[in-house]
Amino acid sequence: MSLTPTYPGVYVVELPNPVRTIVGVRTSVTAFIGRTKRGPIKKPILVQSFDDFVRTFGGLWKYSRLSYALYQYYLNGGKEALIIRVDNGGKKSTFQKGNIKLEASSPGIWGDDLEIEIKIKDAVNPDLQKIDPTIFQLKVTLYEYKNNQPSQEKNILRQEIYQNLSANENQKRYYVQVLTEESNLVNVIQQTPPPPPAVPAEGKVPLNGKGDDGKILTDSNITDVNAGLGLLKKVDIFNMLCIPPFDGSLTTSKAVYDDALQYCEKRRAMLIVDPPEGWNDPSQA
């Protein structure tokens, strides 16, 4: 590249570097499939720490060997993990006050620890209330009971507060739209046709206590193309796959591993396999 100097002096010309840096791809993403206390189902979720897992899936749970496997994964230097929560007949806790119907965002008994509080007075912008009398505040709180006893002291695990929601579907902050887009704790139970606008009833109400964790998982739950192994098709990259025992035994069945191996072969990933519980000495291995 030539320069045309306009005055005497020293001129520095920077030439482009012909060397191009090769950008590496992630090589340490492990997929975990199994049961968790709470969290989205039929959707792979990326977590980058055990704290991430606790916030979304509820942390360690005695019915989830996946949770303990993931805990060990991070203790041993794991970086990123894809969680596929599998459910077998779980039910969501529900809530209704007046025209407003809500449910826990995912199946499980965990939803029974949710509390909904609706406020009208001293909770919204008075000027907005003159325009839209159906405006209200909604507070969603997830509690953790000490020693798992509802009669004991409880701590707040998570809380969501929504100001100036409207019960009128023609308003910008229509509660159905806002909660659908923003809430991680509850979903709106859609009603057809939508109920007429009405001022919500004030009060603090727990969910109805009818959440259910469902049954022990079966092989078919894990290999389901729409809810288990099949969801790996939606994942851009994973390098290892872990399916901890899920049915009360100490090992995952050969049938599940056979299906999992096919996915790993196609994606050039490593399958982590637990030894059969019948192996008691090196010669059997």
Side-chain angles (χ1 to χ4, degrees):
M1 179 179 178
S2 63
L3 287 176
T4 304
T6 58
Y7 58 87
V10 177
Y11 292 83
V12 178
V13 178
E14 294 186 2
L15 298 177
N17 189 341
V19 178
R20 295 289 183 266
T21 302
I22 299 175
V23 180
V25 297
R26 293 179 294 176
T27 58
S28 58
V29 182
T30 303
F32 291 81
I33 301 178
R35 203 177 185 196
T36 65
K37 186 174 184 179
R38 65 173 185 264
I41 56 176
K42 299 182 180 180
K43 182 180 181 182
I45 300 294
L46 181 70
V47 298
Q48 296 180 310
S49 68
F50 192 72
D51 287 340
D52 274 356
F53 177 79
V54 171
R55 282 189 288 270
T56 303
F57 294 96
L60 295 175
W61 185 38
K62 63 181 180 180
Y63 299 113
S64 170
R65 287 200 177 103
L66 181 156
S67 64
Y68 289 91
L70 189 75
Y71 180 68
Q72 295 292 330
Y73 172 73
Y74 281 113
L75 281 182
N76 286 278
K79 300 297 183 182
E80 294 182 308
L82 279 162
I83 310 300
I84 296 178
R85 182 194 180 193
V86 182
D87 171 67
N88 184 13
K91 296 180 180 179
K92 298 178 181 180
S93 299
T94 59
F95 158 92
Q96 180 173 1
K97 196 166 184 64
N99 284 338
I100 296 179
K101 294 183 179 181
L102 305 176
E103 64 182 6
S105 58
S106 64
I109 293 176
W110 75 272
D112 295 352
D113 294 333
L114 284 169
E115 182 180 75
I116 310 297
E117 183 177 7
I118 294 175
K119 286 187 177 181
I120 306 296
K121 298 178 182 178
D122 304 322
V124 298
N125 186 318
D127 294 330
L128 290 177
Q129 199 168 32
K130 293 177 182 178
I131 301 172
D132 179 6
T134 71
I135 283 181
F136 64 100
Q137 179 202 75
L138 180 71
K139 182 187 294 183
V140 184
T141 306
L142 175 60
Y143 289 105
E144 178 184 48
Y145 291 99
K146 188 175 181 181
N147 300 322
N148 294 320
Q149 297 296 323
S151 61
Q152 302 297 321
E153 178 184 352
K154 58 186 180 180
N155 301 316
I156 294 177
L157 279 181
R158 296 183 69 176
Q159 191 172 73
E160 299 175 349
I161 299 176
Y162 299 96
Q163 301 278 10
N164 299 320
L165 295 180
S166 174
N168 187 336
E169 64 176 325
N170 296 316
Q171 296 298 321
K172 185 175 180 179
R173 286 188 58 79
Y174 181 42
Y175 79 97
V176 173
Q177 181 177 345
V178 173
L179 294 180
T180 300
E181 294 177 353
E182 299 181 16
S183 179
N184 292 313
L185 294 177
V186 294
N187 297 327
V188 178
I189 299 176
Q190 299 282 6
Q191 303 176 62
T192 304
V199 178
E202 284 194 312
K204 184 184 294 185
V205 180
L207 271 72
N208 65 7
K210 294 183 179 180
D212 191 333
D213 289 327
K215 301 176 182 177
I216 293 175
L217 301 182
T218 65
D219 287 1
S220 61
N221 294 136
I222 297 293
T223 58
D224 191 330
V225 296
N226 297 313
L229 271 169
L231 295 179
L232 290 174
K233 295 177 181 178
K234 298 182 178 181
V235 175
D236 290 334
I237 184 171
F238 69 96
N239 308 103
M240 293 188 287
L241 174 60
C242 178
I243 308 176
F246 50 83
D247 59 358
S249 66
L250 297 179
T251 52
T252 302
S253 73
K254 182 178 182 301
V256 168
Y257 278 144
D258 285 345
D259 272 18
L261 186 59
Q262 295 181 35
Y263 282 92
C264 288
E265 286 178 338
K266 292 177 182 177
R267 304 293 293 274
R268 302 176 68 85
M270 179 180 291
L271 176 63
I272 300 174
V273 179
D274 288 314
E277 56 187 300
W279 288 3
N280 296 315
D281 57 61
S283 63
Q284 287 179 307

